C-alpha cells in the first residue's frame, strides 16, 4: 500500500486538529504521513512543523504546491480562499481535501470540479460529518427503512462568537456568516436524510450582523415526498446541549443524533418511543481521522471523488445554501 504524503495549507485552529488526526492515522498504519505544511508566514509554518513533527515547512502556499514529495493537500484557510487554492493545488498535480464550504456559492465551485476532472485528480469537500460512523449509521437506518418514510428533520447549529468585524466568522471578505460556516451542517444533514434529492420548496429568514454577513438564519425545506426540514444556525447564539441534537421523525420511528455534526452516538426509536438501537462509536482520535481515512483510501485507489462526499453532493448543498439566501426574508 502506498503512503499518501499529506501537506497542510494554513496553520489555524482546524489545521492543528487535522494534524493531530493525521499523526494518529500515521501511528496506526503506513497509509498516510504528514509531509509538509505551509503558512503565509515562514516562522508560523516552522513552529507548526515542529509541533506536529512535519519534515518540511514553507512560508507560502505556492511553495508547498510545488513540492514533488507531497501527494495530497488539506486546505484549511478561511472560506474565501478555497476555490483559488483548490484550483492551484489541482493544477500542481495534488489531490485536494478542502475545508467546508468549498466555495462561497454553487457557480464558483464549478471551475474547481472542472479542474479536478481535467487534471484527473482527487477532490473532496472535508465534510467530516459525512465520514463519521455514527452519522453514517443514522443514514443507513433511514435507507434500510427502519423509521419508514422520513417526514421531519430538525437540526440547528449555534455558536456564540463575540462580534469582531475582522474575524473569519464576521468578515464578509473572508466568506463569513452563519449559513456558510455552520448552516452547511444542518443543510448537509437534511440533504443526506432526503436521499440526496434537492428540496422542492425553500423558505427562510435571515438576520444580518453589522458587517452584512448573516448572524442567524432559519430555513424550511420541503420535499414532494412529504419530508420537511427545519434548519437554523447562528454565530451569536449560545448553543445548549439540547439544541445540538438533530432528530429525524419517520412514519414508523425516529432517530436522534446528539451533536450531529460530530456525533459519537445515534439512537433509533420505534413509533412507541422505545429505544430499538443505541449505536455508540466514540472517536478513535478527534473525529477527523474518518475523513482522512476516506480521502486517503480514495486517493490510493486512484479515484477522483469519494462516494461519501461526491462532487454532486457539494454542488447541491451549495445550491441549497444559495437558494436559502435568495428567497430569504431579511429581518
Ligand atoms: N471541519 C470542521 O470541523 C471545521 C471547524 C472549524 C473551521 N472549519 C473550516 O476550516 C477553515 C479554517 O477555519 P479555522 O477555524 O481553522 O480558521 P483560523 O483559525 O482563523 O485559521 C485560518 C488560517 O488560514 C490562514 N489564512 C490565510 N489567509 C488568511 C486571512 N486573510 N485571514 C486569516 N487567516 C488567513 C491562516 O494561516 P497562515 O497564517 O498559516 O497562512 C489562518 O491561521 C474554514 O473554512 C472553516 O469553515 C472547519
Amino acid at each position: 500500500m502506498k503512503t499518501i504524503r499529506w501537506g497542510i495549507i494554513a496553520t489555524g485552529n482546524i489545521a492543528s486538529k487535522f494534524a493531530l488526526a493525521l499523526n494518529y492515522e500515521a501511528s496506526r498504519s503506513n497509509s498516510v504521513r504528514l509531509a509538509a505544511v505551509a503558512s503565509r508566514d515562514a516562522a508560523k509554518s516552522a513552529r507548526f512543523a515542529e509541533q506536529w513533527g512535519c519534515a518540511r515547512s514553507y512560508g507560502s502556499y505556492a511553495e508547498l504546491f510545488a513540492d514533488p514529495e507531497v501527494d495530497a493537500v488539506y486546505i484549511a484557510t478561511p472560506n474565501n480562499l478555497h476555490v483559488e487554492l483548490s484550483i492551484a493545488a489541482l493544477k500542481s498535480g495534488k489531490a485536494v481535501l478542502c475545508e467546508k464550504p468549498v466555495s462561497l456559492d454553487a457557480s464558483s465551485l464549478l471551475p474547481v470540479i472542472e479542474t479536478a476532472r481535467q487534471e484527473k485528480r482527487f477532490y473532496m469537500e472535508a465534510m467530516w460529518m459525512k465520514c463519521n460512523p455514527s452519522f453514517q449509521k443514522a443514514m443507513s437506518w433511514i435507507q434500510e427503512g427502519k423509521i419508514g418514510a422520513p417526514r421531519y428533520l430538525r437540526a440547528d447549529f449555534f455558536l456564540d462568537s463575540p462580534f469582531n468585524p475582522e474575524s473569519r466568522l464576521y468578515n464578509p471578505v473572508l466568506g463569513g456568516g452563519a449559513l456558510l460556516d455552520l448552516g452547511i451542517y444542518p443543510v448537509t444533514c437534511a440533504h443526506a436524510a432526503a436521499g440526496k434529492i434537492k428540496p422542492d420548496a425553500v423558505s427562510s429568514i435571515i438576520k444580518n450582523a453589522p458587517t452584512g454577513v448573516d448572524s442567524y438564519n432559519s430555513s424550511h425545506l420541503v420535499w414532494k415526498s412529504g419530508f420537511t426540514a427545519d434548519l437554523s444556525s447562528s454565530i451569536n447564539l449560545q448553543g445548549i446541549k439540547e439544541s445540538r441534537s438533530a432528530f429525524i421523525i419517520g412514519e414508523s420511528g425516529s432517530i436522534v443524533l446528539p451533536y450531529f455534526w460530530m456525533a459519537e452516538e445515534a439512537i433509533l426509536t420505534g413509533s412507541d418511543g422505545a429505544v430499538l438501537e443505541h449505536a455508540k462509536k466514540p472517536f478513535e482520535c478527534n473525529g477527523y481521522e474518518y475523513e482522512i481515512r476516506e480521502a486517503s483510501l480514495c486517493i490510493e485507489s486512484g479515484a477522483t471523488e469519494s462516494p461519501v462526499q461526491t462532487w454532486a453532493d457539494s454542488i447541491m448543498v451549495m445550491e441549497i445554501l444559495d437558494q436559502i439566501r435568495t428567497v430569504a426574508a431579511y429581518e
Side-chain angles (χ1 to χ4, degrees):
M1 191 185 192
K2 187 175 178 257
T3 301
I4 310 294
R5 299 165 299 180
W6 282 90
I8 297 182
I9 297 294
T11 59
N13 162 51
I14 199 67
S16 288
K17 292 184 179 169
F18 187 88
L20 178 72
L22 193 68
N23 282 344
Y24 167 79
E25 281 298 286
S27 73
R28 63 182 279 280
S29 81
N30 286 329
S31 61
V32 294
R33 180 157 63 81
L34 176 52
V37 60
S39 166
R40 297 165 300 170
D41 173 336
K44 261 171 92 181
S45 184
R47 277 198 302 276
F48 187 98
E50 193 182 345
Q51 182 179 3
W52 298 108
C54 151
R56 294 184 303 288
S57 67
Y58 297 110
S60 76
Y61 304 150
E63 284 173 87
L64 190 149
F65 295 153
D67 183 340
E69 293 184 23
V70 169
D71 305 304
V73 298
Y74 167 65
I75 296 175
T77 62
N79 304 338
N80 64 310
L81 294 175
H82 291 174
V83 164
E84 170 191 329
L85 293 174
S86 293
I87 290 176
L90 289 163
K91 286 191 170 166
S92 307
K94 308 302 181 205
V96 172
L97 178 66
C98 179
E99 259 310 333
K100 42 56 62 177
V102 275
S103 59
L104 302 186
D105 54 34
S107 65
S108 55
L109 173 57
L110 301 181
V112 184
I113 288 173
E114 192 45 39
T115 308
R117 193 173 277 127
Q118 277 171 7
E119 301 290 331
K120 299 185 176 57
R121 294 289 162 191
F122 178 80
Y123 172 70
M124 176 183 166
E125 182 165 24
M127 180 40 78
W128 66 310
M129 177 179 78
K130 295 268 291 285
C131 303
N132 174 308
S134 298
F135 185 85
Q136 291 184 347
K137 173 60 92 179
M139 294 305 122
S140 72
W141 284 335
I142 297 175
Q143 282 150 20
E144 290 158 12
K146 295 262 172 77
I147 61 166
R151 286 285 174 245
Y152 180 79
L153 181 149
R154 167 100 227 170
D156 303 324
F157 197 154
F158 301 144
L159 180 82
D160 195 9
S161 179
F163 179 67
N164 170 3
E166 303 303 323
S167 78
R168 191 177 70 68
L169 289 176
Y170 284 98
N171 187 342
V173 175
L174 300 181
L179 186 65
L180 281 175
D181 218 87
L182 306 176
I184 191 166
Y185 287 103
V187 169
T188 298
C189 185
H191 171 257
K196 300 186 172 186
I197 295 170
K198 210 171 175 188
D200 296 290
V202 173
S203 57
S204 66
I205 293 171
I206 286 181
K207 278 187 204 169
N208 276 344
T211 50
V213 303
D214 72 301
S215 58
Y216 170 82
N217 63 78
S218 169
S219 54
H220 190 68
L221 277 47
V222 179
W223 284 259
K224 279 183 187 146
S225 63
F227 179 51
T228 65
D230 274 327
L231 315 170
S232 54
S233 57
S234 174
I235 49 176
N236 65 1
L237 264 184
Q238 181 67 57
I240 56 169
K241 186 169 171 273
E242 290 75 7
S243 73
R244 290 174 172 145
S245 288
F247 54 89
I248 308 157
I249 300 171
E251 273 176 349
S252 56
S254 56
I255 295 168
V256 181
L257 262 171
Y259 296 88
F260 67 98
W261 69 95
M262 45 181 256
E264 296 182 84
E265 58 181 325
I267 303 146
L268 173 70
T269 55
S271 42
D272 59 356
V275 174
L276 301 176
E277 204 174 327
H278 189 161
K280 293 182 186 166
K281 181 84 176 152
F283 294 154
E284 292 170 42
C285 179
N286 59 1
Y288 296 94
E289 61 274 23
Y290 306 110
E291 67 178 5
I292 293 171
R293 221 169 276 172
E294 172 61 21
S296 302
L297 276 172
C298 290
I299 297 165
E300 155 76 9
S301 74
T304 53
E305 61 181 312
S306 155
V308 174
Q309 178 68 24
T310 66
W311 297 346
D313 292 344
S314 294
I315 294 170
M316 196 180 289
V317 167
M318 288 313 301
E319 285 173 347
I320 299 170
L321 298 182
D322 287 352
Q323 208 176 346
I324 287 171
R325 284 179 294 200
T326 306
V327 303
Y330 281 82
E331 281 192 348

